Amino acid sequence: MSPYSAYAQAITIESHLDAGAERSLADDVLDGLTRPFKELPPKHFYDARGAELFDRICELPEYYPTRTERAILEDSAEEIAEITGAVELVELGSGTAAKTRVLLDSLHAAGTLRRYVPLDVTEAMVRDCARELTAEYPGLRVHGVIGDFERHLDRVPASEGPRIVAFLGGTIGNFPPGSRRRFLRQIATLLGPEDYLLMGTDLVKDPHVLEAAYDDADGVTAEFNRNVLLVLNRELDADFDTADFEHVALFDREHEWIEMRLRARREVIAVIRRLDMEVRFEAGEELRTEISAKFTPERLRGDLAAAGLDLAHWLSDPDGLFALTLSRAPDR
Ligand code: SAH
Ligand code: AVI
């Protein structure tokens, strides 16, 4: 047997994104671009180019969340392995699983790790990381789920023993408050009595630090933001010119979240041929493309409690920039 076929046997990939995915983009555009305040959900950023731009964002000096979460993981991965005794790691919005390796290392070293279940909307990321991780961790099985975590959580395979469900990077902040609690309740259904949710959340801090993290000097975040227009051009045969839109990132102090928007530099009339529609932006009109909520410990505890989750461990960095929490679902 070639080494490649040994890896291939360790890999199962399920895809739930077909016509449904295209439909979801079309529905989100029909709904979001015809509202009085235009809006699109952030999941449409992540085509291959968007995923690459996000990787570049993670390396930027202004974007502290990735390196801070990694440092917390490095400091506490052994403790997490000890507390959880996890045989499997399910990861929602797994991306390239770069930081996940820190956790996989400690679970592997503890001798408990058997299976990794990445779930992501970007197909190539799930496939690539399944290939890489089965090569890097002998004996590891990877069951990849290509899908939308808001629609396909029920496709996560049944657990094989104590599990960690990881939701890293602060992605929970990309949900508005009501959906956030609903989504946490859905995550709780993946947790049995021995299981833990390991979640990364970005914390409230100086607005200048926050705004710089979402408006970097090299303009990478601006490109990431405008990329959603290129997704619409390709997938829905639209004719947006990205140069017509300015990147805006603002910290909303009342809601304690960053908002990313695209502001029309002039009047824009775009045609979206596949939906047989025209969208008009007045000069200066904005399209909201993302919120990224920042948390206080009280707010996070409240959201978790509303979803029936008990915050069991709080892990943070010395400057209190970011938090990793371990929570349980006591009633399940
Ligand atoms: N967890 C990684 C990546 C965070 S970026 C990290 O901490 O660095 C957000 C990831 O979530 C991307 O990989 C994106 O493709 C994925 N994602 C965003 N919305 C999603 C959705 N609705 N369903 C599944 N994956 C989604
Ligand atoms: C994936 N998510 C947690 C990132 C964030 O910080 O909200 C996405 C991002 N948007 C701009 N920069 C990074």
Side-chain angles (χ1 to χ4, degrees), residues 70 73-74 76-81 86 89 97-113 116 133 136-138 140 164:
R70 172 186 280 279
L73 269 173
E74 280 166 352
S76 47
E78 221 175 291
E79 188 187 345
I80 295 170
L89 177 62
K99 283 167 290 179
T100 315
R101 284 164 168 85
V102 179
L103 201 54
L104 291 172
D105 283 346
S106 68
L107 294 170
H108 195 246
T112 57
L113 180 66
Y116 175 56
L133 292 175
E136 287 170 33
Y137 297 89
L140 179 71
I164 297 173

PDB file of all heavy atoms in Angstrom, residues 70 73-74 76-81 86 89 97-113 116 133 136-138 140 164:
ATOM      1  N   ARG A  70      -3.263  32.242  19.504  1.00  0.00           N
ATOM      2  CA  ARG A  70      -2.245  31.189  19.391  1.00  0.00           C
ATOM      3  C   ARG A  70      -1.397  31.115  20.664  1.00  0.00           C
ATOM      4  O   ARG A  70      -1.127  30.031  21.185  1.00  0.00           O
ATOM      5  CB  ARG A  70      -1.348  31.433  18.167  1.00  0.00           C
ATOM      6  CG  ARG A  70      -0.159  30.496  18.108  1.00  0.00           C
ATOM      7  CD  ARG A  70       0.773  30.866  16.980  1.00  0.00           C
ATOM      8  NE  ARG A  70       0.284  30.363  15.714  1.00  0.00           N
ATOM      9  CZ  ARG A  70       0.459  29.109  15.297  1.00  0.00           C
ATOM     10  NH1 ARG A  70       1.115  28.251  16.035  1.00  0.00           N
ATOM     11  NH2 ARG A  70      -0.015  28.738  14.143  1.00  0.00           N
ATOM     12  N   LEU A  73      -3.315  29.504  23.380  1.00  0.00           N
ATOM     13  CA  LEU A  73      -3.377  28.054  23.118  1.00  0.00           C
ATOM     14  C   LEU A  73      -2.054  27.388  23.480  1.00  0.00           C
ATOM     15  O   LEU A  73      -2.034  26.319  24.089  1.00  0.00           O
ATOM     16  CB  LEU A  73      -3.662  27.805  21.635  1.00  0.00           C
ATOM     17  CG  LEU A  73      -5.113  27.673  21.223  1.00  0.00           C
ATOM     18  CD1 LEU A  73      -5.217  27.592  19.708  1.00  0.00           C
ATOM     19  CD2 LEU A  73      -5.755  26.424  21.849  1.00  0.00           C
ATOM     20  N   GLU A  74      -0.943  28.041  23.103  1.00  0.00           N
ATOM     21  CA  GLU A  74       0.361  27.444  23.397  1.00  0.00           C
ATOM     22  C   GLU A  74       0.558  27.302  24.905  1.00  0.00           C
ATOM     23  O   GLU A  74       1.081  26.313  25.384  1.00  0.00           O
ATOM     24  CB  GLU A  74       1.490  28.266  22.760  1.00  0.00           C
ATOM     25  CG  GLU A  74       1.630  27.926  21.281  1.00  0.00           C
ATOM     26  CD  GLU A  74       2.475  28.906  20.482  1.00  0.00           C
ATOM     27  OE1 GLU A  74       2.858  29.965  21.033  1.00  0.00           O
ATOM     28  OE2 GLU A  74       2.705  28.619  19.279  1.00  0.00           O
ATOM     29  N   SER A  76      -1.807  26.973  27.124  1.00  0.00           N
ATOM     30  CA  SER A  76      -2.790  26.178  27.870  1.00  0.00           C
ATOM     31  C   SER A  76      -3.200  24.868  27.196  1.00  0.00           C
ATOM     32  O   SER A  76      -4.056  24.152  27.729  1.00  0.00           O
ATOM     33  CB  SER A  76      -4.033  27.031  28.143  1.00  0.00           C
ATOM     34  OG  SER A  76      -4.421  27.675  26.969  1.00  0.00           O
ATOM     35  N   ALA A  77      -2.575  24.530  26.065  1.00  0.00           N
ATOM     36  CA  ALA A  77      -3.025  23.342  25.322  1.00  0.00           C
ATOM     37  C   ALA A  77      -2.886  22.071  26.163  1.00  0.00           C
ATOM     38  O   ALA A  77      -3.759  21.194  26.135  1.00  0.00           O
ATOM     39  CB  ALA A  77      -2.251  23.219  24.026  1.00  0.00           C
ATOM     40  N   GLU A  78      -1.822  22.010  26.946  1.00  0.00           N
ATOM     41  CA  GLU A  78      -1.610  20.807  27.769  1.00  0.00           C
ATOM     42  C   GLU A  78      -2.718  20.680  28.826  1.00  0.00           C
ATOM     43  O   GLU A  78      -3.278  19.608  29.040  1.00  0.00           O
ATOM     44  CB  GLU A  78      -0.252  20.933  28.455  1.00  0.00           C
ATOM     45  CG  GLU A  78       0.530  19.635  28.466  1.00  0.00           C
ATOM     46  CD  GLU A  78       1.908  19.872  29.063  1.00  0.00           C
ATOM     47  OE1 GLU A  78       2.713  20.569  28.394  1.00  0.00           O
ATOM     48  OE2 GLU A  78       2.151  19.415  30.190  1.00  0.00           O
ATOM     49  N   GLU A  79      -3.014  21.836  29.436  1.00  0.00           N
ATOM     50  CA  GLU A  79      -4.076  21.864  30.453  1.00  0.00           C
ATOM     51  C   GLU A  79      -5.427  21.480  29.824  1.00  0.00           C
ATOM     52  O   GLU A  79      -6.206  20.725  30.407  1.00  0.00           O
ATOM     53  CB  GLU A  79      -4.133  23.301  30.997  1.00  0.00           C
ATOM     54  CG  GLU A  79      -5.026  23.503  32.195  1.00  0.00           C
ATOM     55  CD  GLU A  79      -5.127  25.014  32.527  1.00  0.00           C
ATOM     56  OE1 GLU A  79      -4.297  25.806  32.020  1.00  0.00           O
ATOM     57  OE2 GLU A  79      -6.052  25.375  33.280  1.00  0.00           O
ATOM     58  N   ILE A  80      -5.672  21.982  28.601  1.00  0.00           N
ATOM     59  CA  ILE A  80      -6.946  21.673  27.927  1.00  0.00           C
ATOM     60  C   ILE A  80      -7.035  20.167  27.649  1.00  0.00           C
ATOM     61  O   ILE A  80      -8.079  19.543  27.854  1.00  0.00           O
ATOM     62  CB  ILE A  80      -7.087  22.491  26.611  1.00  0.00           C
ATOM     63  CG1 ILE A  80      -7.186  23.986  26.937  1.00  0.00           C
ATOM     64  CG2 ILE A  80      -8.295  22.043  25.799  1.00  0.00           C
ATOM     65  CD1 ILE A  80      -7.083  24.913  25.725  1.00  0.00           C
ATOM     66  N   ALA A  81      -5.908  19.587  27.225  1.00  0.00           N
ATOM     67  CA  ALA A  81      -5.898  18.142  26.952  1.00  0.00           C
ATOM     68  C   ALA A  81      -6.173  17.370  28.239  1.00  0.00           C
ATOM     69  O   ALA A  81      -6.930  16.385  28.247  1.00  0.00           O
ATOM     70  CB  ALA A  81      -4.549  17.744  26.352  1.00  0.00           C
ATOM     71  N   ALA A  86      -9.933  14.595  25.606  1.00  0.00           N
ATOM     72  CA  ALA A  86     -10.698  14.443  24.359  1.00  0.00           C
ATOM     73  C   ALA A  86     -10.088  13.422  23.403  1.00  0.00           C
ATOM     74  O   ALA A  86      -8.883  13.406  23.179  1.00  0.00           O
ATOM     75  CB  ALA A  86     -10.808  15.796  23.659  1.00  0.00           C
ATOM     76  N   LEU A  89     -11.697  16.100  18.142  1.00  0.00           N
ATOM     77  CA  LEU A  89     -11.808  17.553  18.074  1.00  0.00           C
ATOM     78  C   LEU A  89     -12.677  17.885  16.868  1.00  0.00           C
ATOM     79  O   LEU A  89     -12.349  17.509  15.736  1.00  0.00           O
ATOM     80  CB  LEU A  89     -10.402  18.140  17.893  1.00  0.00           C
ATOM     81  CG  LEU A  89     -10.300  19.650  17.720  1.00  0.00           C
ATOM     82  CD1 LEU A  89     -10.833  20.377  18.950  1.00  0.00           C
ATOM     83  CD2 LEU A  89      -8.841  20.061  17.494  1.00  0.00           C
ATOM     84  N   ALA A  97      -6.755  25.536   9.767  1.00  0.00           N
ATOM     85  CA  ALA A  97      -6.448  24.805  11.014  1.00  0.00           C
ATOM     86  C   ALA A  97      -5.032  25.102  11.505  1.00  0.00           C
ATOM     87  O   ALA A  97      -4.402  24.255  12.129  1.00  0.00           O
ATOM     88  CB  ALA A  97      -6.660  23.300  10.825  1.00  0.00           C
ATOM     89  N   ALA A  98      -4.536  26.304  11.239  1.00  0.00           N
ATOM     90  CA  ALA A  98      -3.152  26.628  11.612  1.00  0.00           C
ATOM     91  C   ALA A  98      -2.964  26.558  13.131  1.00  0.00           C
ATOM     92  O   ALA A  98      -2.080  25.859  13.621  1.00  0.00           O
ATOM     93  CB  ALA A  98      -2.791  28.012  11.079  1.00  0.00           C
ATOM     94  N   LYS A  99      -3.826  27.261  13.882  1.00  0.00           N
ATOM     95  CA  LYS A  99      -3.691  27.250  15.349  1.00  0.00           C
ATOM     96  C   LYS A  99      -4.130  25.929  15.947  1.00  0.00           C
ATOM     97  O   LYS A  99      -3.690  25.549  17.033  1.00  0.00           O
ATOM     98  CB  LYS A  99      -4.577  28.339  15.956  1.00  0.00           C
ATOM     99  CG  LYS A  99      -4.031  29.714  15.827  1.00  0.00           C
ATOM    100  CD  LYS A  99      -5.103  30.726  16.151  1.00  0.00           C
ATOM    101  CE  LYS A  99      -6.173  30.762  15.097  1.00  0.00           C
ATOM    102  NZ  LYS A  99      -7.267  31.681  15.333  1.00  0.00           N
ATOM    103  N   THR A 100      -5.022  25.232  15.217  1.00  0.00           N
ATOM    104  CA  THR A 100      -5.557  23.970  15.725  1.00  0.00           C
ATOM    105  C   THR A 100      -4.452  22.972  15.997  1.00  0.00           C
ATOM    106  O   THR A 100      -4.553  22.126  16.878  1.00  0.00           O
ATOM    107  CB  THR A 100      -6.523  23.382  14.668  1.00  0.00           C
ATOM    108  OG1 THR A 100      -7.348  24.440  14.210  1.00  0.00           O
ATOM    109  CG2 THR A 100      -7.346  22.266  15.230  1.00  0.00           C
ATOM    110  N   ARG A 101      -3.373  23.087  15.219  1.00  0.00           N
ATOM    111  CA  ARG A 101      -2.264  22.132  15.382  1.00  0.00           C
ATOM    112  C   ARG A 101      -1.687  22.178  16.796  1.00  0.00           C
ATOM    113  O   ARG A 101      -1.210  21.176  17.301  1.00  0.00           O
ATOM    114  CB  ARG A 101      -1.184  22.389  14.344  1.00  0.00           C
ATOM    115  CG  ARG A 101      -1.589  21.866  12.956  1.00  0.00           C
ATOM    116  CD  ARG A 101      -0.704  22.468  11.904  1.00  0.00           C
ATOM    117  NE  ARG A 101      -0.816  21.831  10.602  1.00  0.00           N
ATOM    118  CZ  ARG A 101      -1.735  22.125   9.682  1.00  0.00           C
ATOM    119  NH1 ARG A 101      -2.659  23.014   9.936  1.00  0.00           N
ATOM    120  NH2 ARG A 101      -1.726  21.528   8.503  1.00  0.00           N
ATOM    121  N   VAL A 102      -1.737  23.338  17.421  1.00  0.00           N
ATOM    122  CA  VAL A 102      -1.223  23.447  18.792  1.00  0.00           C
ATOM    123  C   VAL A 102      -2.024  22.506  19.701  1.00  0.00           C
ATOM    124  O   VAL A 102      -1.468  21.790  20.541  1.00  0.00           O
ATOM    125  CB  VAL A 102      -1.336  24.908  19.295  1.00  0.00           C
ATOM    126  CG1 VAL A 102      -0.845  25.043  20.717  1.00  0.00           C
ATOM    127  CG2 VAL A 102      -0.604  25.870  18.367  1.00  0.00           C
ATOM    128  N   LEU A 103      -3.324  22.487  19.496  1.00  0.00           N
ATOM    129  CA  LEU A 103      -4.208  21.644  20.300  1.00  0.00           C
ATOM    130  C   LEU A 103      -4.063  20.169  19.915  1.00  0.00           C
ATOM    131  O   LEU A 103      -4.012  19.288  20.780  1.00  0.00           O
ATOM    132  CB  LEU A 103      -5.637  22.125  20.031  1.00  0.00           C
ATOM    133  CG  LEU A 103      -6.710  21.804  21.027  1.00  0.00           C
ATOM    134  CD1 LEU A 103      -6.303  22.268  22.416  1.00  0.00           C
ATOM    135  CD2 LEU A 103      -7.996  22.511  20.603  1.00  0.00           C
ATOM    136  N   LEU A 104      -3.983  19.939  18.599  1.00  0.00           N
ATOM    137  CA  LEU A 104      -3.817  18.551  18.145  1.00  0.00           C
ATOM    138  C   LEU A 104      -2.510  17.981  18.699  1.00  0.00           C
ATOM    139  O   LEU A 104      -2.453  16.826  19.106  1.00  0.00           O
ATOM    140  CB  LEU A 104      -3.827  18.492  16.607  1.00  0.00           C
ATOM    141  CG  LEU A 104      -5.180  18.808  15.949  1.00  0.00           C
ATOM    142  CD1 LEU A 104      -5.036  18.928  14.426  1.00  0.00           C
ATOM    143  CD2 LEU A 104      -6.226  17.741  16.276  1.00  0.00           C
ATOM    144  N   ASP A 105      -1.454  18.814  18.741  1.00  0.00           N
ATOM    145  CA  ASP A 105      -0.167  18.355  19.293  1.00  0.00           C
ATOM    146  C   ASP A 105      -0.350  17.858  20.724  1.00  0.00           C
ATOM    147  O   ASP A 105       0.155  16.804  21.097  1.00  0.00           O
ATOM    148  CB  ASP A 105       0.863  19.504  19.329  1.00  0.00           C
ATOM    149  CG  ASP A 105       1.445  19.793  17.958  1.00  0.00           C
ATOM    150  OD1 ASP A 105       1.270  18.953  17.049  1.00  0.00           O
ATOM    151  OD2 ASP A 105       2.065  20.872  17.792  1.00  0.00           O
ATOM    152  N   SER A 106      -1.068  18.643  21.527  1.00  0.00           N
ATOM    153  CA  SER A 106      -1.154  18.264  22.946  1.00  0.00           C
ATOM    154  C   SER A 106      -2.077  17.053  23.130  1.00  0.00           C
ATOM    155  O   SER A 106      -1.799  16.193  23.963  1.00  0.00           O
ATOM    156  CB  SER A 106      -1.588  19.451  23.810  1.00  0.00           C
ATOM    157  OG  SER A 106      -2.905  19.767  23.506  1.00  0.00           O
ATOM    158  N   LEU A 107      -3.144  16.955  22.335  1.00  0.00           N
ATOM    159  CA  LEU A 107      -4.021  15.778  22.448  1.00  0.00           C
ATOM    160  C   LEU A 107      -3.302  14.531  21.948  1.00  0.00           C
ATOM    161  O   LEU A 107      -3.457  13.437  22.487  1.00  0.00           O
ATOM    162  CB  LEU A 107      -5.317  15.996  21.652  1.00  0.00           C
ATOM    163  CG  LEU A 107      -6.249  17.106  22.158  1.00  0.00           C
ATOM    164  CD1 LEU A 107      -7.369  17.386  21.151  1.00  0.00           C
ATOM    165  CD2 LEU A 107      -6.858  16.734  23.517  1.00  0.00           C
ATOM    166  N   HIS A 108      -2.471  14.718  20.925  1.00  0.00           N
ATOM    167  CA  HIS A 108      -1.696  13.606  20.374  1.00  0.00           C
ATOM    168  C   HIS A 108      -0.668  13.150  21.412  1.00  0.00           C
ATOM    169  O   HIS A 108      -0.518  11.955  21.692  1.00  0.00           O
ATOM    170  CB  HIS A 108      -1.003  14.075  19.089  1.00  0.00           C
ATOM    171  CG  HIS A 108      -0.479  12.958  18.242  1.00  0.00           C
ATOM    172  ND1 HIS A 108       0.868  12.771  18.026  1.00  0.00           N
ATOM    173  CD2 HIS A 108      -1.110  11.972  17.570  1.00  0.00           C
ATOM    174  CE1 HIS A 108       1.037  11.719  17.267  1.00  0.00           C
ATOM    175  NE2 HIS A 108      -0.149  11.215  16.958  1.00  0.00           N
ATOM    176  N   ALA A 109       0.006  14.127  22.029  1.00  0.00           N
ATOM    177  CA  ALA A 109       1.020  13.791  23.034  1.00  0.00           C
ATOM    178  C   ALA A 109       0.370  13.104  24.241  1.00  0.00           C
ATOM    179  O   ALA A 109       0.967  12.209  24.850  1.00  0.00           O
ATOM    180  CB  ALA A 109       1.759  15.054  23.478  1.00  0.00           C
ATOM    181  N   ALA A 110      -0.865  13.497  24.567  1.00  0.00           N
ATOM    182  CA  ALA A 110      -1.554  12.871  25.710  1.00  0.00           C
ATOM    183  C   ALA A 110      -2.018  11.453  25.358  1.00  0.00           C
ATOM    184  O   ALA A 110      -2.443  10.693  26.227  1.00  0.00           O
ATOM    185  CB  ALA A 110      -2.743  13.731  26.121  1.00  0.00           C
ATOM    186  N   GLY A 111      -1.970  11.113  24.063  1.00  0.00           N
ATOM    187  CA  GLY A 111      -2.311   9.750  23.627  1.00  0.00           C
ATOM    188  C   GLY A 111      -3.802   9.504  23.502  1.00  0.00           C
ATOM    189  O   GLY A 111      -4.239   8.367  23.346  1.00  0.00           O
ATOM    190  N   THR A 112      -4.619  10.570  23.546  1.00  0.00           N
ATOM    191  CA  THR A 112      -6.076  10.353  23.480  1.00  0.00           C
ATOM    192  C   THR A 112      -6.648  10.574  22.075  1.00  0.00           C
ATOM    193  O   THR A 112      -7.673  10.015  21.728  1.00  0.00           O
ATOM    194  CB  THR A 112      -6.818  11.298  24.456  1.00  0.00           C
ATOM    195  OG1 THR A 112      -6.476  12.657  24.140  1.00  0.00           O
ATOM    196  CG2 THR A 112      -6.457  10.991  25.903  1.00  0.00           C
ATOM    197  N   LEU A 113      -5.961  11.384  21.264  1.00  0.00           N
ATOM    198  CA  LEU A 113      -6.546  11.861  19.994  1.00  0.00           C
ATOM    199  C   LEU A 113      -6.769  10.745  18.973  1.00  0.00           C
ATOM    200  O   LEU A 113      -5.851   9.987  18.660  1.00  0.00           O
ATOM    201  CB  LEU A 113      -5.597  12.899  19.384  1.00  0.00           C
ATOM    202  CG  LEU A 113      -6.031  13.516  18.067  1.00  0.00           C
ATOM    203  CD1 LEU A 113      -7.281  14.367  18.253  1.00  0.00           C
ATOM    204  CD2 LEU A 113      -4.903  14.354  17.475  1.00  0.00           C
ATOM    205  N   TYR A 116     -10.326  14.038  13.988  1.00  0.00           N
ATOM    206  CA  TYR A 116     -10.510  15.479  13.835  1.00  0.00           C
ATOM    207  C   TYR A 116     -11.648  15.687  12.836  1.00  0.00           C
ATOM    208  O   TYR A 116     -11.667  15.046  11.773  1.00  0.00           O
ATOM    209  CB  TYR A 116      -9.208  16.118  13.331  1.00  0.00           C
ATOM    210  CG  TYR A 116      -9.308  17.595  13.010  1.00  0.00           C
ATOM    211  CD1 TYR A 116      -9.753  18.507  13.961  1.00  0.00           C
ATOM    212  CD2 TYR A 116      -8.930  18.078  11.758  1.00  0.00           C
ATOM    213  CE1 TYR A 116      -9.837  19.863  13.669  1.00  0.00           C
ATOM    214  CE2 TYR A 116      -9.004  19.437  11.461  1.00  0.00           C
ATOM    215  CZ  TYR A 116      -9.465  20.321  12.423  1.00  0.00           C
ATOM    216  OH  TYR A 116      -9.548  21.665  12.139  1.00  0.00           O
ATOM    217  N   LEU A 133      -3.179  16.965   7.681  1.00  0.00           N
ATOM    218  CA  LEU A 133      -3.190  16.522   9.087  1.00  0.00           C
ATOM    219  C   LEU A 133      -3.054  15.011   9.220  1.00  0.00           C
ATOM    220  O   LEU A 133      -2.429  14.525  10.161  1.00  0.00           O
ATOM    221  CB  LEU A 133      -4.451  17.020   9.798  1.00  0.00           C
ATOM    222  CG  LEU A 133      -4.496  18.531   9.985  1.00  0.00           C
ATOM    223  CD1 LEU A 133      -5.814  18.980  10.580  1.00  0.00           C
ATOM    224  CD2 LEU A 133      -3.354  19.007  10.877  1.00  0.00           C
ATOM    225  N   GLU A 136       0.526  14.511   9.016  1.00  0.00           N
ATOM    226  CA  GLU A 136       1.297  15.025  10.164  1.00  0.00           C
ATOM    227  C   GLU A 136       1.071  14.227  11.439  1.00  0.00           C
ATOM    228  O   GLU A 136       1.956  14.167  12.295  1.00  0.00           O
ATOM    229  CB  GLU A 136       0.914  16.490  10.428  1.00  0.00           C
ATOM    230  CG  GLU A 136       1.470  17.446   9.401  1.00  0.00           C
ATOM    231  CD  GLU A 136       0.870  18.854   9.539  1.00  0.00           C
ATOM    232  OE1 GLU A 136       0.561  19.279  10.671  1.00  0.00           O
ATOM    233  OE2 GLU A 136       0.685  19.505   8.495  1.00  0.00           O
ATOM    234  N   TYR A 137      -0.128  13.639  11.601  1.00  0.00           N
ATOM    235  CA  TYR A 137      -0.432  12.933  12.865  1.00  0.00           C
ATOM    236  C   TYR A 137      -0.742  11.468  12.557  1.00  0.00           C
ATOM    237  O   TYR A 137      -1.881  11.133  12.192  1.00  0.00           O
ATOM    238  CB  TYR A 137      -1.626  13.578  13.577  1.00  0.00           C
ATOM    239  CG  TYR A 137      -1.351  15.004  13.993  1.00  0.00           C
ATOM    240  CD1 TYR A 137      -1.622  16.058  13.134  1.00  0.00           C
ATOM    241  CD2 TYR A 137      -0.783  15.292  15.237  1.00  0.00           C
ATOM    242  CE1 TYR A 137      -1.344  17.367  13.499  1.00  0.00           C
ATOM    243  CE2 TYR A 137      -0.501  16.594  15.610  1.00  0.00           C
ATOM    244  CZ  TYR A 137      -0.793  17.629  14.727  1.00  0.00           C
ATOM    245  OH  TYR A 137      -0.504  18.914  15.095  1.00  0.00           O
ATOM    246  N   PRO A 138       0.233  10.584  12.723  1.00  0.00           N
ATOM    247  CA  PRO A 138       0.010   9.177  12.403  1.00  0.00           C
ATOM    248  C   PRO A 138      -1.143   8.611  13.233  1.00  0.00           C
ATOM    249  O   PRO A 138      -1.227   8.855  14.436  1.00  0.00           O
ATOM    250  CB  PRO A 138       1.340   8.509  12.817  1.00  0.00           C
ATOM    251  CG  PRO A 138       2.335   9.612  12.930  1.00  0.00           C
ATOM    252  CD  PRO A 138       1.589  10.863  13.217  1.00  0.00           C
ATOM    253  N   LEU A 140      -4.247   9.453  13.005  1.00  0.00           N
ATOM    254  CA  LEU A 140      -5.405  10.365  13.090  1.00  0.00           C
ATOM    255  C   LEU A 140      -6.349  10.128  11.913  1.00  0.00           C
ATOM    256  O   LEU A 140      -5.923  10.029  10.767  1.00  0.00           O
ATOM    257  CB  LEU A 140      -4.929  11.830  13.061  1.00  0.00           C
ATOM    258  CG  LEU A 140      -6.037  12.885  13.114  1.00  0.00           C
ATOM    259  CD1 LEU A 140      -6.677  12.926  14.505  1.00  0.00           C
ATOM    260  CD2 LEU A 140      -5.490  14.276  12.765  1.00  0.00           C
ATOM    261  N   ILE A 164     -13.987  17.747  22.103  1.00  0.00           N
ATOM    262  CA  ILE A 164     -13.937  19.207  22.186  1.00  0.00           C
ATOM    263  C   ILE A 164     -14.595  19.726  20.906  1.00  0.00           C
ATOM    264  O   ILE A 164     -14.259  19.261  19.813  1.00  0.00           O
ATOM    265  CB  ILE A 164     -12.482  19.723  22.220  1.00  0.00           C
ATOM    266  CG1 ILE A 164     -11.747  19.238  23.469  1.00  0.00           C
ATOM    267  CG2 ILE A 164     -12.457  21.249  22.138  1.00  0.00           C
ATOM    268  CD1 ILE A 164     -10.243  19.579  23.465  1.00  0.00           C
TER     269      ILE A 164
END
